[in-house]
Amino acid sequence: MRQPPDDQGSVDPPRGRRRLRRHAQRPRGRDGAGERLSVSTPLLLIWLDEAGDYLRAAQAAGLAASVELVTTPLASDPPEALLARAEALLAWRPPARLGARAPRLRWIQSLTGGCEQWFGPDVPAQATLTCARGTHRVQMSEHILAALFLCSKDLAAIVLDQAERRWRRRVNPTLAGATLGILGLGAIGAEVARLASLLGMRVIGTKREPAAVPGVERVWAPADTPRVLAESDFVLLLLPATAETRGLIDKTALAAMKPSAFLLNFGRGELVVDADLVAAVRERRIAGAVLDVFPTEPLPAEHAFWTTPGIVVLPHVGGLHPHRDALVAELWCDNLTRFLAGRPLRQVVDRARGY
C-alpha cells in the first residue's frame, strides 16, 4: 500500500562508502559490539524483536547493499558500541539516555503514528524524527466503522441478550442521514469521511489548516470545534495529544454535544477528561462512548470506564493489522532510500507542534 508523500525534512547523506554488512541478530561479544564492522558503512540499528519484515523489505528494495542493518531485541538495552556508531534508528521507543549514547544519530523512524514517547530530553534534537503516520489508514478506518455500527445498531446489547437467551427486537436508527463530526481530518480522518459518505452520512470536521476534504461537507478550524460538537450525532476524535488538545473533551465540550450523540475516541486517551465523560454518560447527557485509547494502558481494572453502562472499552486495537509491519516497512524503506540519498524524508514529526 503506497502512502502519500509528506516531504517535510531532509538529512545529509551518510558519510563514506556504502557496503553490505547485515546482521540479523544481536551482535556477539563481551562489549556487545560483535565482530568488527566497517566504519565507512552507515549503521542503522533496528531495536525490535521481530525485524524480519524490515530486513526482507530492505533486501527486496536493493537497500541492503547500501547500509549496515543490525538488529537487537527489546528485552535488553541496545549495546553501547552499536549506539555509538548508529546513524539511524528504527524502534518503538527511545533507549535510555539516547542523546548521550548515540552522538552520530541523524534519523529516527518511530514504529508508531503518535510520537509522544520521543519528545523527552534524552532524544537528540539534531536527529530527524519520522513516524508511521498513514500506515493505519485502512485498519483504523474499519475499526471506526465497526464502532459506528456498534453504537447505531445497539449491537452490544444484542450480544448480552443472547447470553440471557432473551429475544428482544429493536428498531435501530440508520447511519444514513446522521452527521459524523471528525476532529482531526488527517489521513485516517479523510478515509473515514470517504467511507462514511458512501453510507449516506453527512460528514463535517476540523483540520489545523482548513481545506476541502473529499466527502466532507464543511471543514472548520480547531477554534470552531464547539460548532462541530453541537451538530454531530457521532463525534470522532483523531487528534494527537498536544498542549492544545489535552483535556479537550471536558464537561464544557460534552455539554455542547447532543444528548443523543456518541463519542468515539481513536486518537489519544489524553484528549478526554475521564471523570467528565463518565458523569456525562451516567447522567444521560450524551448517549454513550466507544474508547480505544487511554492515558494509562492497559486500562486499570478499577477504572470506571469498565463498569459504566453506555461506555464500550476497546483494548487499543484500532491500528492493529495482521501485516502491520509490512505496511510500516514500506514507508521505512522509502525513507531509507531518501536518507541514503540526502533527500527529504516522509512523515517528519514537528516536535514543536507535537505531531
Side-chain angles (χ1 to χ4, degrees), residues 189-204:
E191 178 65 6
V192 173
R194 183 185 72 82
L195 296 172
S197 64
L198 292 175
L199 293 173
M201 299 188 76
R202 170 182 178 244
V203 184
I204 59 177

Side-chain angles (χ1 to χ4, degrees), residues 80-329:
E80 296 287 339
L82 289 179
L83 284 174
R85 292 189 50 227
E87 296 188 38
L89 173 68
L90 172 70
W92 292 100
R93 64 181 187 274
R97 301 182 293 106
L98 179 61
R101 300 164 67 199
R104 296 168 58 90
L105 192 64
R106 295 181 298 109
W107 169 40
I108 299 166
Q109 174 69 61
S110 174
L111 289 160
T112 59
C115 289
E116 295 89 348
Q117 71 273 28
W118 294 99
F119 295 155
D122 287 346
V123 178
Q126 80 276 5
T128 299
L129 174 63
T130 59
C131 67
R133 185 169 49 227
T135 60
H136 306 95
R137 180 178 59 85
V138 172
Q139 62 269 36
M140 184 78 81
S141 298
E142 290 186 2
H143 278 104
I144 291 167
L145 287 182
L148 288 169
F149 282 111
L150 182 69
C151 295
S152 63
K153 306 307 179 187
D154 207 11
L155 297 179
I158 291 173
V159 171
L160 292 175
D161 283 346
Q162 179 178 346
E164 298 294 329
R165 304 182 185 185
R166 182 169 51 236
W167 182 275
R168 182 167 62 179
R169 302 174 71 196
R170 292 170 171 78
V171 179
N172 292 317
T174 64
L175 289 175
T179 297
L180 171 63
I182 303 176
L183 304 186
L185 281 165
I188 296 170
E191 178 65 6
V192 173
R194 183 185 72 82
L195 296 172
S197 64
L198 292 175
L199 293 173
M201 299 188 76
R202 170 182 178 244
V203 184
I204 59 177
T206 64
K207 191 176 176 66
R208 178 171 55 84
E209 297 176 357
V213 176
V216 181
E217 179 182 295
R218 180 73 182 271
V219 180
W220 278 287
D224 293 306
T225 294
R227 185 168 182 176
V228 176
L229 296 175
E231 294 188 22
S232 299
D233 299 298
F234 301 90
V235 174
L236 171 60
L237 306 181
L238 290 174
L239 297 166
T242 68
E244 292 75 28
T245 63
R246 288 185 180 90
L248 176 69
I249 303 302
D250 57 8
K251 59 184 179 182
T252 300
L254 292 163
M257 294 173 59
K258 299 177 182 179
S260 58
F262 289 87
L263 178 72
L264 314 178
N265 189 9
F266 284 78
R268 283 290 180 265
E270 292 84 355
L271 304 177
V272 176
V273 178
D274 292 2
D276 291 354
L277 177 58
V278 168
V281 174
R282 283 178 174 171
E283 296 166 14
R284 305 292 179 87
R285 288 185 273 118
I286 66 169
V290 177
L291 309 174
D292 187 52
V293 287
F294 309 90
T296 301
E297 296 184 1
L299 184 67
E302 66 275 11
H303 200 288
F305 284 161
W306 288 112
T307 55
T308 301
I311 293 180
V312 176
V313 171
L314 304 181
H316 204 153
V317 297
L320 301 183
H321 188 287
H323 305 296
R324 181 190 184 279
D325 280 326
L327 299 176
V328 179

Side-chain angles (χ1 to χ4, degrees), residues 37-50:
L37 304 175
S38 170
V39 296
S40 64
T41 304
L43 188 149
L44 191 156
L45 181 60
I46 302 175
W47 190 30
L48 184 64
D49 288 331
E50 301 293 336

